[in-house]
Amino acid sequence: MGKESITITNNATGASEEFPLLHPTHGPSVADIRTLYSKMGIFTYDPGFKSTASCKSKITFIDGEKGILLYRGYGIEELAEKSNYLEVCYLLLHGELPAKEEYDKFAGIITRHSMVHEGFKSFLAGFRRDAHPMAIMVGMVGALSAFYHDSLEIHNPKHQEISAHRLIAKITTIAAAAYKYSIGQPINYPDNKLGYAENFLHMMFSVPAEKYEVDPLHAKALDLILILHADHEQNASTSTVRLAGSSEANPFAAASAGVGALWGPAHGGANEAVLTMLEEIGDVKNIPKFIDKAKNKDDSFRLMGFGHRVYKNYDPRAKLIKKMSRDIIEKTDGNDPLLEIALRLEEIAMKDDYFVERKLFPNVDFYSGITYKAIRIPVNMFTVVFTMGRMVGWMAQWAEMIQDPKRVIGRPRQLYDGAATRSYIPMDKR
Ligand code: SDX
């Protein structure tokens, strides 16, 4: 095959085989090793998939070395400046920016799908009031398939589209309902006159006792946050959605699996963990102690909101959220001691060899919590907001997977290093 291939030689047996090299639009080439086991009787070993491409995708591209993020080829900075979340949803789902009539039709569909079946109220009432909202989200997203089974033929393109629309439209209603339930306030219905981000804030903060006006600054900040969280290649939760979906489970069940994966503090749960960490630091004078803890191999503590599997440069989303958090705090509370701590922490870490050598930069979660706090989102809802933004990415990736004519169920192999074959010993002989 020549230069468009790699050769793998097994030095133990002398066997040697060539495997094709596949070349991307952007990013590293990949060795197509799908026939490795059948040809050479060996597996690859890559826990955490640090060197493994799990699929082909046209949706999102990250250049981790340069800190570049593209949605369908468009830079995140341009989309953040010129687009809005629903337009980004259309782009991620359909691959192209919409013409005006396409956008208006899409936005209208999402708006009109935002109500949920009234049965959700009794479903919600089954949860403890003090349940973490993400626990409720895992349950409620999965339960959507118990209410919307009229569109679960996963190979039917119309059903694929309807389910994606329903999840994008209803995730805000479900999220706000989880919050209202946890604080014992009446659940609000969506208002079709409001924009997507505005409607969420209305459902979160409106009370029957008085008129609630959504602050346009808050709605704009939230819309930007949702754009920045919309998709991110094959991250842990997206890979979970793809794997769950590869068994032909319905998209609501696959999305529910994604919610569970996103919840972890190593992933989407980091935004909540950052706020907790900043509050624990409490004062800039305590920063060195926490930096030392993060560097101590005997301490499991990590600097939350720092580091990334792919970005070995500044996360472009963190740059945009850092600027937004400063803008919104200047225009609302004037200052936030937690932002001061975050800025100082970043400054110190960026000069520390431990972080510099490991290329550990602030990621999307480092400043997002401070912005959420400035627009009055409670800490235990931070990862829920991440879930809202990422739902469209999960649906775009799920659709790309389910529509792939060469799709197979995801089923990794392993390196077994357990007990060798042995015979059963009767209890009285042990
Ligand atoms: C998200 O994948 C995505 O795209 C995710 C995401 C998305 O949009 O979907 O971007 C969203 O999940 C962002 C990440 C949020 N998580 C955090 O902020 C939690 C803190 N970060 C770390 O847990 C960690 O950086 C990860 C999980 C994000 C990445 O882990 P990796 O790639 O497995 O890196 P690693 O554990 O191999 O770390 C390499 C070295 C290690 O030290 P050595 O063994 O080489 O001495 O860096 C160290 C790690 O101990 N390290 C850290 C650190 N992150 C890595 N040390 C202190 N603090 C940290 N935050």
Side-chain angles (χ1 to χ4, degrees):
M1 290 183 197
K3 66 180 172 50
E4 293 303 295
S5 66
I6 63 160
T7 302
I8 296 179
T9 301
N10 182 338
N11 294 322
T13 64
S16 191
E17 291 288 347
E18 287 203 351
F19 298 90
L21 267 183
L22 307 178
H23 302 297
T25 311
H26 296 307
S29 295
V30 302
D32 181 349
I33 54 157
R34 284 175 287 183
T35 58
L36 176 66
Y37 180 58
S38 60
K39 281 183 178 172
M40 301 187 77
I42 58 173
F43 296 147
T44 57
Y45 181 64
D46 186 14
F49 313 118
K50 294 194 174 187
S51 302
T52 295
S54 61
C55 62
K56 281 184 184 176
S57 181
K58 300 178 186 307
I59 300 170
T60 295
F61 173 72
I62 302 169
D63 182 327
E65 300 308 323
K66 295 180 186 152
I68 290 170
L69 170 58
L70 306 177
Y71 289 166
R72 298 286 189 177
Y74 294 96
I76 193 67
E77 296 81 0
E78 243 195 320
L79 292 170
E81 184 195 341
K82 300 173 182 170
S83 187
N84 66 56
Y85 180 64
L86 283 187
E87 184 176 68
V88 165
C89 287
Y90 185 97
L91 173 65
L92 289 170
L93 290 170
H94 297 279
E96 299 297 337
L97 289 169
K100 181 157 182 356
E101 58 275 16
E102 289 169 323
Y103 174 79
D104 292 343
K105 182 179 172 208
F106 178 75
I109 288 169
I110 298 300
T111 300
R112 286 192 303 278
H113 275 74
S114 54
M115 283 181 70
V116 293
H117 189 288
E118 278 296 288
F120 261 93
K121 281 188 176 170
S122 45
F123 185 80
L124 193 56
F127 289 101
R128 282 179 49 145
R129 292 273 182 187
D130 59 353
H132 192 289
M134 282 299 281
I136 296 176
M137 294 300 285
V138 172
M140 299 260 271
V141 170
L144 282 168
S145 54
F147 291 89
Y148 298 104
H149 29 62
D150 63 329
S151 62
L152 293 183
E153 292 164 30
I154 56 166
H155 298 298
N156 177 333
K158 197 65 199 142
H159 285 197
Q160 292 166 9
E161 190 175 49
I162 292 171
S163 297
H165 290 165
R166 278 174 162 156
L167 277 160
I168 294 163
K170 299 178 191 308
I171 195 69
T172 50
T173 311
I174 288 170
Y179 170 64
K180 287 302 219 186
Y181 178 74
S182 72
I183 59 173
Q185 286 189 359
I187 291 164
N188 287 311
Y189 289 100
D191 178 344
N192 286 358
K193 293 189 300 301
L194 300 177
Y196 190 85
E198 207 183 353
N199 214 350
F200 173 68
L201 294 172
H202 145 68
M203 291 188 279
M204 278 284 289
F205 301 119
S206 285
V207 288
E210 59 185 29
K211 186 95 182 79
Y212 176 79
E213 290 295 331
V214 175
D215 182 331
L217 187 66
H218 291 191
K220 184 169 178 358
L222 178 59
D223 195 83
L224 174 55
I225 286 252
L226 294 173
I227 289 174
L228 299 178
H229 286 77
D231 195 48
H232 214 237
E233 285 192 3
Q234 305 311 317
N235 58 83
S237 53
T238 297
S239 297
T240 301
V241 171
R242 277 180 171 261
L243 192 57
S246 73
S247 74
E248 302 197 356
N250 69 68
F252 302 112
S256 175
V259 178
L262 188 70
W263 191 0
H267 189 12
N271 52 23
E272 181 176 346
V274 166
L275 243 290
T276 306
M277 176 185 73
L278 293 174
E279 284 167 347
E280 203 183 332
I281 292 173
D283 186 298
V284 291
K285 70 177 184 314
N286 299 326
I287 288 175
K289 186 176 68 177
F290 281 80
I291 292 272
D292 290 343
K293 268 175 70 69
K295 291 156 63 174
N296 178 357
K297 288 299 160 205
D298 298 326
D299 190 326
S300 62
F301 173 78
R302 285 194 160 177
L303 217 48
M304 300 319 284
F306 262 76
H308 199 276
R309 170 61 54 75
V310 178
Y311 289 122
K312 301 308 170 192
N313 199 323
Y314 213 104
D315 183 333
R317 303 167 297 174
K319 273 185 199 162
L320 291 161
I321 295 179
K322 178 179 177 181
K323 180 181 178 312
M324 183 199 343
S325 60
R326 286 175 133 161
D327 291 351
I328 201 152
I329 285 167
E330 273 161 30
K331 290 172 188 152
T332 49
D333 304 339
N335 76 319
D336 179 347
L338 295 185
L339 176 60
E340 297 318 308
I341 294 172
L343 292 168
R344 187 81 184 102
L345 178 57
E346 175 190 344
E347 189 188 331
I348 295 171
M350 291 294 86
K351 290 177 188 152
D352 186 300
D353 287 347
Y354 174 92
F355 295 91
V356 173
E357 284 160 14
R358 292 168 178 79
K359 299 181 179 176
L360 302 176
F361 291 83
N363 60 49
V364 67
D365 293 304
F366 189 60
Y367 288 102
S368 56
I370 291 166
T371 307
Y372 294 147
K373 186 167 166 284
I375 62 174
R376 309 283 181 270
I377 304 284
V379 179
N380 68 358
M381 286 291 289
F382 287 3
T383 309
V384 173
V385 174
F386 194 149
T387 304
M388 286 166 32
R390 186 54 54 88
M391 185 56 75
V392 64
W394 289 340
M395 285 302 101
Q397 299 271 353
W398 172 82
E400 186 175 65
M401 177 276 304
I402 208 77
Q403 291 163 6
D404 178 355
K406 294 196 182 121
R407 175 179 56 80
V408 290
I409 188 170
R411 204 275 186 220
R413 302 304 300 274
Q414 62 175 14
L415 182 153
Y416 173 70
D417 61 353
T421 308
R422 51 187 171 167
S423 302
Y424 183 83
I425 300 167
M427 183 80 78
D428 59 1
K429 296 275 188 299
R430 288 175 208 164

